Amino acid sequence: MATMTGQDESDAAVEAATAAETPAMVQTDSTSETVAPGKSSRKSKRKPRPSPRELVGPSPNDHTNLAIADIALRGGSFLARRAVEKALLGKKFTPSKASAILKGRTMGETMLHRTLARVAMTSIPGAIVVGGGLIAKTLYDRSKARTAQAAGEEKLADMAEDGEES
């Protein structure tokens, strides 16, 4: 029979004390992971999230993916803009007349509105100038409400006629 030395006895005592303090680890039957008693070993059925570098678009070509994103964003903003315009006109006009008014806009008006929006969006001074101009126009229209309303209705009627013809 082998006898333990003083060093071996102290190592065994430390191991026994450590084992008594920590809960025993249980080996699960189908996996190689160990789980503390009372805890269930749940395997995550979801795939881990890919990193942003692993995400790719529908095409392996980055230029094509940018074109797809640009077209989707522009198409979405076009549909949203049309819906807002129809909603604003729909307060006063029937839906068919509102559509006719939107169709009756000239290319010049459309380009002017896009240019003003772009100037307002690209710089703070541009936003101040465009916003100030719109406020001034609104205040002017309110001060000349009767004449502005009559002129506005006449212009919208012309635009509606142009839209119905096309």
Side-chain angles (χ1 to χ4, degrees):
M1 202 166 167
T3 59
M4 294 183 149
T5 62
Q7 180 70 22
D8 292 335
E9 288 176 8
S10 65
D11 289 342
V14 168
E15 287 179 12
T18 312
E21 290 175 7
T22 60
M25 302 304 275
V26 178
Q27 180 81 23
T28 58
D29 50 338
S30 62
T31 63
S32 63
E33 61 182 291
T34 56
V35 179
K39 304 262 183 181
S40 64
S41 67
R42 290 188 295 176
K43 277 191 168 181
S44 176
K45 297 191 181 196
R46 290 186 285 151
K47 293 181 182 177
R49 286 188 175 174
S51 71
R53 292 179 188 233
E54 293 173 355
L55 295 176
V56 294
S59 171
N61 185 339
D62 291 333
H63 192 282
T64 304
N65 290 335
L66 288 175
I68 291 169
D70 188 37
I71 291 167
L73 288 172
R74 287 181 193 270
S77 68
F78 174 78
L79 293 174
R81 182 176 55 246
R82 287 291 245 200
V84 169
E85 289 171 342
K86 278 188 179 180
L88 289 173
L89 289 175
K91 299 267 185 202
K92 192 170 184 182
F93 302 103
T94 63
S96 60
K97 187 164 184 175
S99 294
I101 290 170
L102 292 176
K103 286 181 184 176
R105 288 189 295 187
T106 65
M107 180 63 85
E109 290 172 335
T110 303
M111 295 305 290
L112 175 67
H113 296 165
R114 284 188 185 184
T115 303
L116 289 173
R118 182 158 296 196
V119 167
M121 294 297 293
T122 54
S123 67
I124 293 174
I128 292 170
V129 168
V130 171
L134 290 174
I135 290 171
K137 173 75 167 115
T138 303
L139 293 175
Y140 176 77
D141 285 347
R142 285 186 177 209
S143 70
K144 307 287 183 186
R146 284 191 182 152
T147 56
Q149 184 176 6
E153 287 179 2
E154 183 180 326
K155 180 145 178 131
L156 289 177
D158 292 341
M159 289 171 64
E161 288 175 11
D162 292 342
E164 288 173 355
E165 291 173 4
S166 59

